[in-house]
Amino acid sequence: MSRIDDLIANLCPQGVPVKSIGEVAEIANNGVDKKSRSGEQAVWLVNFVDVFNNLEINSSHLTMRVTASERQVEACNLQVGDLLITPTSESKDELARAAVVSEPLPDAVYSYHVMRIRVRSNSSLAPKFLGHLFASSTLQNQIKLAAQGITRFGLTQGKWNELKIPVPPLEVQQEIVLILDQFTELEAELEAELEAELEARRKQYEHHRNKLLAITSHTPMRPLGDLAHNLDNQRRPVTKAARLSGDVPYYGASGIVDFVSDYIFDGDYLLVSEDGANLLARSTPIAFSISGKAWVNNHAHVLEFGSYAERRFVEIYLNSIDLSPYVSGATQPKLNKANLNRIEIPDPQLSEKERVVGLLDKFDALLNDISIGLPAEIKARRQQYEHYRDKLLTFPEAAA
């Protein structure tokens, strides 16, 4: 930080000027739609930038055909140094993810899902510096305060233009970009190593889980309907408009979907997805335990067991096996009550279930508990970077 402190002391000893984005950049949200449209519009073969995951956009993006007028294609061109940001999102935390065009993209246009910010040539603002600013807590807090919406949030173009940013001398900006780029690269390498270690441990967990749950000719098996008390008849769906807000979790097929003021269950239960694409995709667990007061709609089965070990054993087993033989429907997958009840479950002695659950719970904690192990280290790395970035991007403000 000493070199930056020295630069600020020498170049802007009275503080850093603060300007609105509208003063230093032009904002455009006239992207094209890749879907075909009728009329006199032509079909263009272009580099079509729709979504992005990294801080830079480059020629790795797909070339594809879009249907648009010549004026549209000319209006939404991309140049090196342009920023693309996400102008709307279902979550305020996902607003204004920024990416910088880092190399020429011939005939490139952008999607109407993103917004282009082009720094003015006379603004003395480095595009990559602005890209880092969009990730800073100072600018993100402004964006969240200005965001409007109910199910999807966004800012009017006027509000985007009014956002305030510090504009230190270019030499300061370039030094900060150099440091943050190096720090980002190092942080990404360290995080990749941690993720690789975490993946290795996941495989280790799966190995031990499969070994502990292995079925042999001597393993007793029983249908799930004989092991659990099904409470589906107590479920009650409530439309979103009819729900009263509160602190009681309202569960659906894949977890909490809302919080309400009343409850219909109070205890320890296993919920199992009844319908939805996740029954086949398995991107999230289809069986998950809940405890305490809860409201459950008719998209999740409710099962009650005699002990923690019995409930947790079934939860682990259901999440480890292929359930497609029990799922009906292709476009709308469904695991109905009858098929759920007939799923064959290993049924060893309770003491063996307690042993298996105890061992796997320890592995699970190391993998998934954010307060310990590798996940905590990954989180700490991100927080360290965010703290360092915000410190670099915070300046004493010059008097007006």
Side-chain angles (χ1 to χ4, degrees):
M1 291 281 289
S2 60
R3 172 163 167 74
I4 293 176
D5 291 337
D6 290 343
L7 286 172
I8 291 174
N10 292 330
L11 299 175
C12 45
Q14 304 304 316
V16 171
V18 172
K19 298 182 180 181
S20 68
I21 287 182
E23 292 179 79
V24 295
E26 297 176 351
I27 297 177
N29 56 359
N30 52 354
V32 301
D33 188 348
K34 65 183 177 183
K35 296 179 181 177
S36 297
R37 296 184 181 277
S38 59
E40 299 179 356
Q41 297 170 323
V43 176
W44 303 80
L45 186 64
V46 294
N47 284 302
F48 186 73
V49 180
D50 193 6
V51 293
F52 47 85
N53 297 310
N54 303 311
L55 190 61
E56 296 185 352
I57 296 173
N58 53 45
S59 57
S60 63
H61 289 265
L62 292 177
T63 298
M64 64 185 305
R65 294 183 182 276
V66 298
T67 305
S69 68
E70 185 174 0
R71 176 180 293 182
Q72 281 180 300
V73 172
E74 290 176 352
C76 66
N77 65 88
L78 289 175
Q79 300 175 5
V80 173
D82 283 349
L83 271 74
L84 294 180
I85 66 171
T86 49
T88 64
S89 176
E90 294 178 356
S91 167
K92 290 183 179 181
D93 291 330
E94 294 295 321
L95 275 171
R97 289 172 53 244
V100 181
V101 178
S102 58
E103 63 182 54
L105 293 175
D107 300 319
V109 299
Y110 59 93
S111 162
Y112 71 101
H113 290 298
V114 296
M115 187 164 67
R116 185 190 69 197
I117 298 180
R118 180 170 292 167
V119 173
R120 300 181 193 274
S121 58
N122 61 349
S123 65
S124 298
L125 181 65
K128 291 198 72 175
F129 180 77
L130 181 57
H132 285 297
L133 280 174
F134 266 105
S136 69
S137 60
T138 300
L139 192 49
Q140 280 292 314
N141 288 338
Q142 290 184 62
I143 291 168
K144 290 174 184 177
L145 286 173
Q148 298 176 335
I150 300 175
T151 59
R152 194 167 186 86
F153 300 95
L155 282 68
T156 64
Q157 187 154 341
K159 291 295 184 182
W160 286 113
N161 280 317
E162 292 172 6
L163 295 173
K164 301 294 185 181
I165 60 169
V167 185
L170 268 174
E171 194 173 349
V172 175
Q173 296 178 42
Q174 291 163 351
E175 184 69 18
I176 290 174
V177 167
L178 178 64
I179 292 171
L180 286 179
D181 283 354
Q182 291 174 340
F183 196 93
T184 301
E185 184 178 347
L186 176 61
E187 192 264 349
E189 290 175 359
L190 291 172
E191 190 166 311
E193 291 176 7
L194 292 172
E195 289 285 4
E197 177 64 21
L198 191 56
E199 181 59 27
R201 293 200 183 181
R202 287 193 185 103
K203 291 181 179 178
Q204 186 181 27
Y205 168 81
E206 291 173 2
H207 169 77
H208 287 286
R209 180 197 64 196
N210 294 340
K211 187 175 180 180
L212 288 167
L213 297 178
I215 297 173
T216 70
S217 57
H218 303 292
T219 304
M221 305 290 292
R222 291 179 66 188
L224 181 54
D226 292 349
L227 298 174
H229 181 205
N230 189 293
L231 303 177
D232 284 2
N233 61 342
Q234 297 181 28
R235 304 175 302 179
R236 292 210 309 273
V238 182
T239 63
K240 188 170 185 177
R243 295 175 208 157
L244 295 177
S245 181
D247 56 5
V248 176
Y250 180 91
Y251 289 95
S254 298
I256 297 173
V257 295
D258 205 350
F259 288 90
V260 295
S261 61
D262 203 357
Y263 63 94
I264 53 177
F265 295 101
D266 188 3
D268 300 319
Y269 308 95
L270 180 66
L271 302 190
V272 182
S273 304
E274 179 170 346
D275 49 33
N278 190 54
L279 280 171
L280 300 178
R282 305 297 285 271
S283 55
T284 59
I286 59 98
F288 51 97
S289 291
I290 65 170
S291 296
K293 294 180 173 62
W295 196 295
V296 184
N297 66 22
N298 58 349
H299 295 292
H301 299 289
V302 183
L303 304 180
E304 189 174 34
F305 294 83
S307 68
Y308 169 80
E310 292 171 295
R311 171 167 52 86
R312 181 71 173 131
F313 186 88
V314 171
E315 177 184 2
I316 295 170
Y317 184 73
L318 288 178
N319 286 325
S320 72
I321 63 171
D322 177 17
L323 290 176
S324 57
Y326 304 96
V327 176
S328 59
T331 56
Q332 295 293 334
K334 185 176 181 65
L335 176 62
N336 61 39
K337 182 178 177 180
N339 284 340
L340 176 73
N341 285 338
R342 70 183 183 86
I343 296 174
E344 290 290 316
I345 307 289
D347 187 33
Q349 294 292 321
L350 179 59
S351 58
E352 176 62 10
K353 291 179 182 178
E354 291 173 339
R355 185 185 75 86
V356 170
V357 166
L359 289 171
L360 292 179
D361 275 355
K362 290 178 181 178
F363 271 108
D364 188 66
L366 288 172
L367 284 169
N368 301 312
D369 189 339
I370 201 65
S371 65
I372 61 174
L374 288 171
E377 192 169 352
I378 291 172
K379 182 180 179 182
R381 296 282 187 190
R382 290 172 181 161
Q383 290 175 334
Q384 181 185 32
Y385 168 71
E386 290 166 3
H387 171 78
Y388 189 56
R389 178 197 61 212
D390 287 346
K391 190 173 181 180
L392 280 172
L393 297 173
T394 301
F395 307 91
E397 185 176 343

